[in-house]
């Protein structure tokens, strides 16, 4: 699961638009942002196996980001930060926390068993990664449906469909690039690439969410 995580961000924006889209986009990948940093630091570990179908990632050790208790803690921390640092309404802050937790739930569908149910506990994963075509279809389908919901919400508010279409197009292009590029560069390289991609999407969300300028009479 890569761009499919952003379906939760876009859907949340449609349901609770008072939080900026960039906060939802960052929340959707907050767990992986932390993972990228910890991989670079050598705290969490991965290796690459190009013979694996779908994803070459072998996620060996990531208790601080992708265990179930860690996902809960990241979610609660994000909601608290949104409420008390960004001064967002309580409902919007709670929605951000839910988006953070959605990362673990979506990973559960696609990951091979590498998600610990508790620290040091058994690992789970439904392994849809092993079936690349349905996995890619699921990701694109999720973000397309979420973008349609956001576009409908913006239409009701008189803001138009441009932002959802542009943001969806950017995510689809990013997914295609991720599919075509070979997985290489080692753990640190993967961590850096991941952080760069998440930063790019967050910046794209800033521009996509800008209010439309009123037309001159």
């Amino acid at each position: 699961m890569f761009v499919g995580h952003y379906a939760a961000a876009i859907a949340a924006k449609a349901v609770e638009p008072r939080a900026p889209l960039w906060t939802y986009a960052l929340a959707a990948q907050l767990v992986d942002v932390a993972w990228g940093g910890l991989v670079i630091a050598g705290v969490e570990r991965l290796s690459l196996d190009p013979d694996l179908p779908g994803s070459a990632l072998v996620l060996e050790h990531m208790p601080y980001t992708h265990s179930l208790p860690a996902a809960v803690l990241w979610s609660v921390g994000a909601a608290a930060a949104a409420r008390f640092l960004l001064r967002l309404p309580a409902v919007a802050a709670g929605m951000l926390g839910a988006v953070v937790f959605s990362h673990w739930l979506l990973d559960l569908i696609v990951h091979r068993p590498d998600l610990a149910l508790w620290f040091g506990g058994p690992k789970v994963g439904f392994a849809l990664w092993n079936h690349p075509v349905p996995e890619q279809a699921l990701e694109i389908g999720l973000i397309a449906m979420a973008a349609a919901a956001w576009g409908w919400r913006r239409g009701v508010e008189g803001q138009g469909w441009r932002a959802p279409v542009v943001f969806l197009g950017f995510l689809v292009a990013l997914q295609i690039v991720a599919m075509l590029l070979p997985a290489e560069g080692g753990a640190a390289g993967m961590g850096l690439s991941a952080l760069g991609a998440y930063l790019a999407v967050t910046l794209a969300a800033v521009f996509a969410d800008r209010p439309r300028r009123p037309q001159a009479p």
Side-chain angles (χ1 to χ4, degrees), residues 60-79:
E60 300 165 350
H61 180 71
M62 46 183 190
Y64 306 112
T65 57
H66 284 75
S67 66
L68 181 55
V72 172
L73 291 174
W74 284 106
S75 303
V76 172

Side-chain angles (χ1 to χ4, degrees), residues 84-182:
F84 298 109
L85 297 181
L86 299 181
R87 302 295 183 183
L88 292 179
V91 174
M95 186 68 72
L96 278 163
V99 170
V100 173
F101 188 71
S102 75
H103 187 103
W104 195 90
L105 296 176
L106 291 171
D107 275 357
L108 178 64
I109 298 172
V110 299
H111 277 222
R112 303 174 186 104
D114 51 34
L115 303 170
L117 289 177
W118 56 84
F119 297 120
K123 296 180 179 180
V124 295
F126 299 154
L128 191 58
W129 266 347
N130 292 335
H131 308 280
V133 174
E135 195 275 333
Q136 298 293 335
L138 173 64
E139 292 205 54
I140 299 301
L142 285 174
I143 61 173
M145 289 188 293
W150 185 31
W152 174 84
R153 178 64 179 255
R154 286 176 60 89
V156 169
E157 296 173 347
Q159 296 179 322
W161 281 71
R162 182 186 62 84
V165 170
V166 170
F167 194 56
L168 175 62
F170 179 80
L171 291 176
V172 171
L174 195 62
Q175 179 75 353
I176 293 172
V177 170
M179 290 167 57
L180 296 178
L181 288 179

Side-chain angles (χ1 to χ4, degrees), residues 184-206:
E184 56 186 16
M190 290 297 297
L192 283 171
S193 298
L195 291 177
Y198 305 145
L199 175 61
V201 176
T202 302
L203 291 176
V206 171

